[in-house]
Amino acid sequence: MNTSGPSNLQPDLSSKTAFVQDSGFLKPQAQTSLILWKKRLRAAGKSLQKGANVGVGILNGVVGDYLHHHDNPLAVRMGFYFKGKPLPLTPDALRSVYPHMTSKICVIIHGLVCDETIWNFPGSPQTNYGALLQRDLGYTPFYLRYNTGRHISENGRNLFELMGELMAAFPMPVREIIFITHSMGGLVTRSACDYGLRADAAWVKKVRKLFYLGSPHLGAPLEKLANAAAFVLKKFPRPYIKIIGDAINVRSSGIKDLRFGYVTDADWAGRDPDLFLKNTKNRLPLMEGASHYVITGRLTENPMHPVSRWFGDALVRKPSALGRSRRMEHSLGFPPCHHREYPAMGHMKLAHSPEVYDQIREWCEQPIIHERHIHE
Amino acid sequence: MSKLKGLAQLVQDAVDKSATAIEDVHLTVANEPLNILKKIPALKSPVSGIQKIINLTITSMYEIIRTVNRETGNMVKLVLEKAEKLAHDEPQDEKR
């Protein structure tokens, strides 16, 4: 048997351990040592797998559109995941995974360069907003994983289709759907709802509440900076400087959509994505008939501190998260009582914070104010 | 295993595209002084000859990099396919 590769090491060791244990070939001390090594190797394998998943998420965020167009096996396919594995959308599979399912669905959507593990609380990987809402309010959580490097509107279209499949496979009539979204996930959700409204999809009529945690509805400053830097570098007459601009422009379509928060195909289709800070966004108001909630973070305790005013939660600024634009047609108009800001909380922490969960839960418990007069 | 294959494919693409981009820069930078010298009528003919040699050397060098990269990629792909086959066969052997 070949034992040269690390992948072969674990099975070999385990079989040998079993053999020497059975035959009494090794002294008890050596047996203990072997068992210990086996455990260590298993733990290393698990952490390697976890690291690989994180790496794949980052790769998809940075060059996910390239991976998708080249049919690279590293490209993530959109789907609901349960305990790290894709969840087949069949009634039997759903029943076996969710034996205590209810008619209330909670869809949880991560942001750029992440996967669903971003929701897990540090030090307690079984705890996340979905699991807590299931425990406290009886929601059935579905965790989405998707290729964050693709256009937001492409992911939105896929999510719209996937929600249709989920509804078709769900073993009982769905009474209520809520979305909990982080960062880019909020834009993907708005895009999916837009497709749903246009197609008059049944699931859109069930959407009651949407939570946006640090979603850059009007764009992210870091992407604007990358666009400006690449544009300036490419204007230099020196080829060795231009090449740096080219390298910056390799970033994915998903990242480029975050420049101004593009959520529809019409925002980007047929346009040069590398034009200097050219905003070609079309108007897409918040979906009527559902309640929309915003949670933002800021880097400092003091809300007036220049760091917080300029950098927001480090990646998304408050006006963008609240959709407050100088161009009225792009303003989203979240009700002030549907906004909560947390001091000294960075962008990523918004996805796994007990304080944020308390607020989400409080809002979930509130009766639905908006009446659905447009769709029903 | 498929993820490793994907990674190998991605690295191969990245090396190939980077080599081509750097080759363009290399050619442009190398040709700049030669293009200036070519403006002197007396030097035009010998400099053109030198320029051809330099350009050929540069493109050959990058072509070697691309070829080695391509062949390494093919080799890695073969090894991974073999390993995948072995991993697939092993459980069946165990059943027997």
Side-chain angles (χ1 to χ4, degrees):
Chain A
M1 195 181 281
N2 175 22
T3 54
S4 57
S7 59
N8 289 328
L9 199 55
Q10 197 176 328
D12 282 352
L13 190 58
S14 65
S15 59
K16 275 180 188 169
T17 311
F19 167 73
V20 292
Q21 278 172 332
D22 289 348
S23 63
F25 183 71
L26 281 181
K27 288 178 184 173
Q29 208 175 5
Q31 282 182 17
T32 316
S33 166
L34 265 179
I35 292 165
L36 208 69
W37 269 105
K38 204 173 113 183
K39 278 184 182 169
R40 278 182 193 160
L41 274 174
R42 267 195 199 141
K46 272 184 188 169
S47 69
L48 200 68
Q49 179 66 37
K50 202 176 164 189
N53 285 343
V54 171
V56 168
I58 294 171
L59 259 183
N60 273 267
V62 178
V63 289
D65 50 348
Y66 181 87
L67 296 175
H68 175 79
H69 292 309
H70 287 79
D71 287 328
N72 191 302
L74 287 172
V76 171
R77 290 185 63 147
M78 182 182 278
F80 293 115
Y81 281 68
F82 185 79
K83 291 186 177 171
K85 294 204 170 87
L87 179 62
L89 291 181
T90 61
D92 289 342
L94 294 178
R95 265 192 220 105
S96 69
V97 169
Y98 300 106
H100 306 294
M101 66 168 65
T102 65
S103 59
K104 297 196 298 181
I105 286 178
C106 169
V107 180
I108 300 174
I109 305 175
H110 63 76
L112 182 72
V113 302
C114 296
D115 64 13
E116 71 282 2
T117 55
I118 188 70
W119 300 104
N120 297 344
F121 282 30
S124 175
Q126 303 301 320
T127 311
N128 55 58
Y129 300 156
L132 292 172
L133 281 175
Q134 186 176 29
R135 184 197 67 188
D136 298 341
L137 301 174
Y139 283 94
T140 306
F142 286 90
Y143 304 90
L144 189 79
R145 189 190 290 184
Y146 63 101
N147 179 346
T148 58
R150 297 187 70 202
H151 278 294
I152 287 169
S153 58
E154 289 173 339
N155 279 321
R157 190 163 44 240
N158 283 6
L159 177 59
F160 149 68
E161 290 163 359
L162 196 69
M163 287 301 296
E165 287 172 34
L166 175 63
M167 291 303 104
F170 206 72
M172 62 174 74
V174 175
R175 188 159 55 93
E176 178 187 340
I177 299 173
I178 65 167
F179 282 92
I180 299 180
T181 67
H182 181 233
S183 195
M184 176 193 265
L187 306 187
V188 172
T189 306
R190 282 180 57 214
S191 179
C193 289
D194 183 47
Y195 281 111
L197 284 176
R198 287 185 209 191
D200 198 27
W203 68 264
V204 186
K205 296 167 187 170
K206 311 281 182 190
V207 178
R208 298 287 178 262
K209 290 176 181 176
L210 299 100
F211 300 91
Y212 305 98
L213 317 184
S215 289
H217 296 289
L218 301 180
L222 210 58
E223 163 49 26
K224 289 185 179 116
L225 183 71
N227 170 247
F231 185 83
V232 170
L233 289 168
K234 278 175 74 77
K235 286 287 171 202
F236 270 79
R238 302 284 99 186
Y240 42 85
I241 295 177
K242 270 185 185 171
I243 199 173
I244 303 172
D246 288 332
I248 295 173
N249 277 344
V250 166
R251 70 197 187 282
S252 67
S253 309
I255 295 179
K256 289 177 184 178
D257 281 352
L258 289 178
R259 195 178 310 151
F260 295 107
Y262 291 167
V263 285
T264 65
D265 289 342
D267 292 343
W268 55 267
R271 296 190 167 92
D272 178 3
D274 300 320
L275 284 178
F276 182 68
L277 296 177
K278 173 95 176 142
N279 187 353
T280 53
K281 188 180 166 84
N282 292 279
R283 184 171 183 271
L284 184 71
L286 295 175
M287 185 174 78
E288 286 191 46
S291 299
H292 301 261
Y293 302 87
V294 176
I295 291 178
T296 54
R298 64 168 185 262
L299 292 174
T300 60
E301 289 287 342
N302 178 5
M304 301 313 287
H305 195 286
V307 170
S308 284
R309 292 184 70 177
W310 276 93
F311 299 103
D313 64 11
L315 293 178
V316 177
R317 295 176 69 193
K318 189 173 163 184
S320 176
L322 284 171
R324 283 185 193 151
S325 174
R326 270 173 283 181
R327 290 165 65 179
M328 278 313 287
E329 72 268 26
H330 291 317
S331 285
L332 293 176
F334 290 101
C337 61
H338 285 191
H339 170 229
R340 174 83 190 266
E341 184 166 81
Y342 288 90
M345 189 174 288
H347 186 71
M348 301 315 273
K349 202 182 167 192
L350 289 170
H352 43 252
S353 155
E355 296 90 5
V356 171
Y357 171 69
D358 288 341
Q359 182 59 68
I360 291 173
R361 182 187 163 169
E362 191 187 315
W363 278 332
C364 280
E365 285 172 328
Q366 284 177 2
I368 295 151
I369 302 163
H370 294 263
E371 286 301 320
R372 191 169 284 278
H373 38 75
I374 281 188
H375 313 299
E376 288 182 344
Chain B
M1 203 63 78
S2 68
K3 278 182 183 168
L4 279 178
K5 269 194 212 169
L7 187 65
Q9 188 187 322
L10 185 68
V11 171
Q12 192 184 336
D13 285 355
V15 171
D16 194 85
K17 285 190 167 38
S18 305
T20 306
I22 295 167
E23 180 187 8
D24 287 344
V25 175
H26 200 157
L27 281 169
T28 314
V29 172
N31 279 293
E32 267 179 11
L34 299 174
N35 288 337
I36 293 167
L37 286 174
K38 269 166 69 179
K39 284 177 185 164
I40 302 165
L43 294 176
K44 191 177 179 182
S45 176
V47 169
S48 293
I50 293 167
Q51 194 171 26
K52 273 181 191 162
I53 294 168
I54 288 175
N55 287 352
L56 190 67
T57 311
I58 291 171
T59 47
S60 307
M61 196 172 81
Y62 285 97
E63 197 48 53
I64 290 169
I65 292 172
R66 278 189 291 266
T67 308
V68 170
N69 177 47
R70 202 163 41 239
E71 292 309 316
T72 310
N74 290 340
M75 216 160 67
V76 169
K77 199 176 157 194
L78 273 175
V79 170
L80 288 174
E81 273 168 7
K82 183 84 181 162
E84 197 172 22
K85 197 172 175 295
L86 275 174
H88 186 256
D89 290 349
E90 210 165 81
Q92 287 175 351
D93 292 344
E94 274 172 20
K95 274 181 199 169
R96 278 177 216 155

